[in-house]
């Protein structure tokens, strides 16, 4: 996730900016840069290496003169990691330097208009349009240029802005991306999160959407876009640096669980336009899409589980055969593939060795490869014929949560997109699904309200020796993911089964007190699940079930029920996984496990 720092005061800015960027390193980044004004000119330093490389190049910032500056760590979304794409970006007359967090959804239109006016772009980023718009609308009034520019932007932004003609003022603006102002003695700061500030000041102003800040070393003024002055009391931050990195949570996993509603919005919002799905930069032509007669989905671990869910969604919407295979198996099979096969390769890191090998195998057999990847410019993104990015931002906990959720969203969107092009599902159903995708974030927020219930459930059962997750259809995919979450961070033996398979062997393991987590929220097959719950109850199991709020039947059969809000059954996995993530987290916590770095595991498995 990108990070912003800005400073104005009586000290050299560069050492403070570099120190702030180091504090933001934990968020993950692929490039970084700073801009400082001295004698009315910008000095800009960038790197595609670590912040330490910038420090080395500038003698810890001491070689860069100037007492006002902005800095940025970039996590690529538009354009590969490179120096030209790294921030700060300059406007076409060189008077504005800006850093930006967020995504400008209408950048393509804005860029085309600016290019038609003869303005040349130096980078592939969405951010650069903002720098050029500021130049275009500037005629001596920086505030006016900012308010005009941001009024044209659609999407999310936190901006740090410098104008070389106003070398004593730092400007900032925000919409749907966090931006904090740090208040010091004869010095003030901006940052995307408090981590970058807490070593300098604990007094901060939280900005709100649609606000512009005008900051000098002695003064901070907040304004609405119309120029009305806003007064706000500062907040005192009691966190230390470690707590600040985790957003006040004890672990990155919990921080990332709680980021899911936001990540889902970031992933779907730019892709839904006028009730239609649109994927920026997708090369797959409508003709090619219509010629596809089979889909194979591959990935490892949780990425594979999103494929299991997508199989049910795609078969419903696209009415063509869908196969899901573990990448580690697929690479050594003799898969029957031709040019009409679409192979979807799913990976958070984009570097998983087995997944990359599966991609190469499928490509060599003539399949069209669509990567679904979180890390821009990663090996899988580069090797695929096409790529759709999940905009989950960097994920730090080994156990994936927010990237898993973002993958599901991309898969739903792709299913809807392809069904629309192939006319394989009714427009009414596709519209309903799009509306339902929009309603997922508040539904997930409402699951968070069950956290205390889930925590006390975990407290009662954290010593369970082993556990079975069961489910049918989409709930089977969620059972697999819930089971993996629990086992990887709590080291409890946990297995997932398709509920109908119980009687073919597994049921012999059920005995008094054995915990069975029965996912029963998939309404079309709820009756079948009730029978499975009865079967295991009759053999002494303790059953924790999930179901849709308002359905009281499950409570008659199960010992505990976690009720989730109703959503369309095809999208159920997105809501139902959340209580399971929280359950896994608390079971691991009570077992005193290393939640963010479970034993024997790595975030990215780059070896076979
Ligand atoms: O980076 P990838 O999505 O390719 O990683 C795949 C798996 O290694 C990953 O999902 C793993 O199973 C997670 N630790 C699960 O939480």
């Amino acid at each position: 996730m990108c990070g912003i720092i800005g400073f104005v005061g009586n000290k050299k800015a560069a050492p403070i900016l570099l120190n702030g960027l180091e504090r933001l390193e934990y968020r993950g980044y692929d490039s970084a840069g700073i801009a400082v004004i001295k004698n009315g000119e910008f000095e800009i330093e960038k790197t595609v290496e670590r912040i330490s490389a910038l420090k080395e190049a500038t003698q810890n910032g001491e070689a860069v003169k100037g007492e006002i500056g902005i800095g940025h760590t970039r996590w690529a979304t538009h354009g590969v990691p490179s120096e030209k794409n790294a921030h700060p970006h300059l406007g076409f007359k060189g008077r504005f330097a800006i850093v930006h967090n967020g995504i400008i959804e209408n950048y393509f239109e804005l860029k085309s208009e600016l290019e038609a006016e003869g303005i040349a772009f130096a980078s592939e980023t969405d951010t650069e349009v903002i720098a050029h718009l500021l130049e275009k609308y500037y005629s001596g009034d920086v505030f006016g240029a900012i308010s005009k520019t941001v009024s044209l932007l659609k999407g999310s932004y936190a901006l740090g802005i410098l104008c070389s003609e106003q070398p004593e003022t730092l400007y900032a603006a925000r919409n749907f991306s966090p931006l904090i102002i740090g208040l010091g003695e004869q010095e003030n700061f901006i940052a995307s999160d408090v981590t970058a500030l807490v070593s300098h000041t604990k007094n901060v102003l939280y900005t709100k959407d649609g606000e512009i800040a005008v900051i000098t070393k002695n003064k901070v003024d907040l304004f609405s876009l119309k120029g009305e002055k806003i007064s706000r009391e500062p907040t005192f931050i009691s966190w230390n640096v470690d707590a600040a990195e985790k957003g006040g949570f004890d672990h990155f996993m919990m921080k990332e669980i709680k980021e899911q509603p936001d990540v889902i919005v970031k992933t779907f919002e730019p892709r839904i336009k006028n009730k239609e799905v649109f994927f920026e930069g997708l090369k797959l032509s409508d003709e090619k899409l219509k010629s596809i007669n089979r889909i194979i989905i591959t990935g490892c671990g949780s990425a594979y589980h999103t494929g299991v869910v997508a199989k049910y969604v795609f078969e419903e919407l696209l009415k063509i055969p869908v196969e899901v295979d573990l990448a580690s198996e697929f690479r050594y099979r003799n898969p029957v593939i031709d040019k009409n096969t679409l192979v979807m390769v799913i990976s958070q890191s984009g570097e998983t060795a087995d997944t990359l090998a599966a991609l190469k195998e499928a490509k060599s057999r003539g399949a069209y490869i669509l990567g679904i990847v979180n890390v821009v410019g990663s090996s899988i993104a580069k090797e695929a014929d096409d790529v759709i990015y999940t905009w989950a931002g960097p994920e730090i906990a080994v156990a994936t949560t927010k990237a898993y959720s973002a993958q599901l969203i991309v898969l739903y969107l792709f299913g809807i997109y392809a069904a629309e092009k192939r006319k394989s599902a009714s427009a009414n159903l596709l519209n309903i699904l799009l509306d339902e995708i929009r309603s997922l974030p508040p539904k997930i927020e409402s699951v968070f309200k069950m956290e205390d219930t889930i925590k006390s459930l975990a407290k009662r059962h954290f010593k369970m020796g082993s556990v079975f997750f069961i489910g049918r259809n989409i709930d089977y995919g969620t059972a697999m993911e819930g089971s993996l979450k629990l086992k990887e961070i709590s080291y409890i033996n946990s297995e997932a089964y398709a509920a109908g398979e119980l009687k073919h062997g597994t049921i012999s393991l059920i005995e008094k007190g054995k915990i069975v987590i029965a996912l029963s929220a998939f309404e079309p097959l709820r009756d079948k699940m009730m029978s499975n719950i009865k079967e295991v109850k009759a053999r002494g199991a303790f059953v924790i079930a999930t179901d849709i709020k308002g359905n009281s039947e499950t409570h008659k059969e199960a010992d505990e029920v976690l009720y989730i809000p109703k959503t369309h059954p095809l999208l159920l996995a997105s809501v139902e996984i959340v209580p399971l993530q929280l359950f896994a987290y608390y079971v691991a916590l009570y077992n005193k496990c290393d939640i963010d770095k479970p034993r024997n595991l790595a975030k990215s498995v780059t070896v076979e």
Side-chain angles (χ1 to χ4, degrees):
M1 208 119 51
C2 303
I4 286 178
I5 174 83
F7 171 78
V8 52
N10 288 329
K11 300 176 194 145
K12 269 191 187 162
I16 292 170
L17 298 176
L18 292 171
N19 174 279
L21 292 182
E22 264 180 342
R23 297 267 183 233
L24 294 170
E25 276 189 313
Y26 78 95
R27 294 160 68 104
Y29 67 107
D30 47 55
S31 52
I34 58 169
V36 172
I37 309 180
K38 185 69 190 172
N39 299 331
E41 299 216 335
F42 288 116
E43 176 162 353
I44 295 188
E45 301 286 341
K46 293 184 180 182
T47 183
V48 280
E49 293 168 40
R50 302 281 87 191
I51 307 294
S52 55
L54 266 186
K55 282 183 121 177
E56 223 170 280
T58 60
Q59 294 161 27
N60 290 328
E62 295 296 336
V64 182
K65 300 200 171 61
E67 277 125 36
I68 180 166
I70 49 179
H72 191 262
T73 47
R74 176 172 188 254
W75 166 265
T77 55
H78 296 67
V80 295
S82 66
E83 275 200 18
K84 75 176 170 77
N85 287 334
H87 302 208
H89 289 286
L90 285 177
F92 63 92
K93 289 190 182 165
R95 296 174 299 188
F96 283 89
I98 66 159
V99 288
H100 165 223
N101 280 5
I103 292 175
I104 303 304
E105 290 163 19
N106 59 337
Y107 94 97
F108 198 69
E109 294 93 305
L110 294 169
K111 184 172 180 176
S112 310
E113 283 166 26
L114 290 164
E115 281 177 331
E117 291 166 22
I119 294 167
F121 279 69
S123 76
E124 303 158 277
T125 64
D126 53 341
T127 301
E128 200 183 339
V129 295
I130 307 172
H132 294 324
L133 287 170
L134 288 166
E135 291 283 8
K136 179 175 164 179
Y137 293 112
Y138 178 64
S139 51
D141 170 14
V142 178
F143 187 92
I146 295 173
S147 64
K148 174 68 186 167
T149 297
V150 297
S151 72
L152 300 174
L153 305 178
K154 288 196 187 128
S156 55
Y157 54 82
L159 293 168
I161 302 167
L162 291 178
C163 175
S164 58
E165 294 187 358
Q166 303 276 323
E168 274 156 21
T169 313
L170 168 63
Y171 296 86
R174 134 181 196 153
N175 201 41
F176 299 123
S177 271
L179 184 76
I180 299 148
I181 299 169
L183 308 173
E185 288 291 320
Q186 298 263 300
E187 58 185 26
N188 289 307
F189 307 80
I190 58 167
S192 47
D193 85 50
V194 288
T195 327
L197 298 179
V198 282
S199 59
H200 299 288
T201 177
K202 297 213 163 190
N203 289 314
V204 303
L205 282 179
Y206 285 99
T207 60
K208 295 189 178 165
D209 292 341
E211 291 181 350
I212 297 175
V214 181
I215 305 161
T216 61
K217 63 183 175 192
N218 296 318
K219 203 162 169 237
V220 174
D221 286 319
L222 283 178
F223 297 95
S224 71
L225 289 190
K226 288 188 195 143
E228 298 141 339
K229 203 151 180 211
I230 296 165
S231 63
R232 182 157 311 133
E233 286 301 308
T235 305
F236 181 77
I237 301 285
S238 54
W239 301 342
N240 60 24
V241 172
D242 187 44
E245 279 185 353
K246 295 178 183 127
F249 295 102
D250 291 337
H251 299 93
F252 283 110
M253 183 182 175
M254 185 54 96
K255 176 173 180 265
E256 288 160 3
I257 288 174
K258 296 291 171 68
E259 280 172 2
Q260 289 178 112
D262 198 35
V263 157
I264 287 175
V265 173
K266 284 202 174 103
T267 302
F268 78 67
E269 189 134 73
R271 272 88 182 239
I272 304 181
K273 296 204 169 145
N274 306 325
K275 296 212 161 217
E276 270 184 31
V277 177
F278 155 89
F279 291 111
E280 179 201 306
L282 191 75
K283 291 177 246 152
L284 183 65
S285 67
D286 291 0
E287 202 181 43
K288 178 83 190 163
L289 190 54
K290 284 178 196 154
S291 73
I292 299 294
N293 58 18
R294 192 157 146 256
I295 295 178
I296 297 177
I297 307 176
T298 190
C300 298
S302 298
Y304 166 75
H305 297 155
T306 63
V308 174
V309 172
K311 173 185 164 73
Y312 296 105
V313 178
F314 288 177
E315 288 188 340
E316 193 70 37
L317 296 181
L318 303 178
K319 322 267 185 312
I320 51 175
V322 181
E323 213 179 292
V324 197
D325 202 1
L326 293 161
S328 53
E329 285 296 309
F330 181 88
R331 64 182 292 189
Y332 295 121
R333 242 166 84 183
N334 200 357
V336 182
I337 285 175
D338 62 25
K339 62 181 179 20
N340 295 326
T341 309
L342 174 68
V343 174
M344 298 178 75
V345 178
I346 308 177
S347 174
Q348 185 282 129
S349 61
E351 301 295 347
T352 302
D354 282 324
T355 312
L356 187 58
L359 181 161
K360 289 182 178 160
E361 184 62 40
K363 202 171 179 180
S364 72
R365 289 167 188 253
Y368 192 88
I369 312 291
L370 173 60
I372 295 180
V373 178
N374 197 37
V375 179
V376 174
S378 56
S379 304
I380 291 174
K382 282 192 199 130
E383 290 282 339
D385 295 305
D386 239 330
V387 59
I388 304 178
Y389 287 108
T390 49
W391 285 330
E395 199 176 49
I396 293 165
V398 164
T400 178
T401 52
K402 63 174 183 170
Y404 171 86
S405 284
Q407 284 163 358
L408 284 180
I409 298 297
V410 165
L411 289 163
Y412 303 150
L413 290 176
F414 183 76
I416 295 168
Y417 173 81
E420 205 276 319
K421 302 277 179 212
R422 295 169 64 95
K423 303 276 170 264
S424 52
S426 74
N428 186 39
L429 172 61
L430 301 182
N431 278 337
I432 289 173
L433 289 174
L434 283 179
D435 284 345
E436 284 284 326
I437 288 175
R438 286 197 178 91
S439 75
L440 289 173
K443 287 178 183 169
I444 291 173
E445 296 280 2
S446 84
V447 173
F448 293 158
K449 297 200 179 112
M450 296 157 52
E451 189 171 337
D452 285 345
T453 311
I454 295 168
K455 187 176 176 182
S456 68
L457 193 64
K459 194 170 186 184
R460 273 175 276 140
H461 298 291
F462 74 96
K463 283 288 169 215
M464 61 195 150
S466 67
V467 54
F468 293 106
F469 283 72
I470 58 171
R472 289 170 180 263
N473 196 284
I474 280 173
D475 273 347
Y476 175 42
T478 308
M480 291 168 128
E481 177 59 8
S483 167
L484 178 63
K485 280 291 86 80
L486 184 71
K487 83 175 89 170
E488 75 177 317
I489 61 169
S490 70
Y491 319 142
I492 285 171
N493 179 21
S494 161
E495 296 305 328
Y497 285 95
E501 269 295 294
L502 280 179
K503 57 188 170 298
H504 298 290
T506 315
I507 203 157
S508 66
L509 293 166
I510 304 293
E511 57 189 359
K512 191 165 176 354
K514 181 74 71 189
I515 302 229
V516 173
I517 300 189
L519 305 186
S520 323
F522 186 70
E523 289 179 295
L525 294 173
R526 181 188 284 122
D527 290 350
K528 299 283 169 200
M529 279 306 296
M530 289 306 114
S531 307
N532 293 130
I533 292 176
K534 280 183 190 154
E535 278 165 13
V536 293
K537 281 290 299 172
R539 285 151 182 91
F542 183 92
V543 176
I544 301 168
T546 57
D547 207 341
I548 302 292
K549 235 176 237 164
N551 177 40
S552 54
E553 288 305 294
T554 321
H555 234 129
K556 292 185 194 149
E557 311 299 341
D559 297 284
E560 302 268 2
V561 187
L562 297 171
Y563 288 108
I564 59 170
K566 188 176 170 71
T567 185
H568 192 286
L570 290 179
L571 310 182
L572 176 63
S574 290
V575 183
E576 202 174 17
I577 191 59
V578 181
L580 306 184
Q581 293 168 342
L582 290 169
F583 184 67
Y585 174 88
Y586 280 112
V587 170
L589 189 76
Y590 286 121
N591 279 302
K592 299 192 170 38
C593 296
D594 188 351
I595 293 182
D596 285 336
K597 290 196 185 102
R599 69 186 183 203
N600 307 337
L601 292 176
K603 182 67 186 159
S604 178
V605 187
T606 53
V607 290
E608 195 180 354

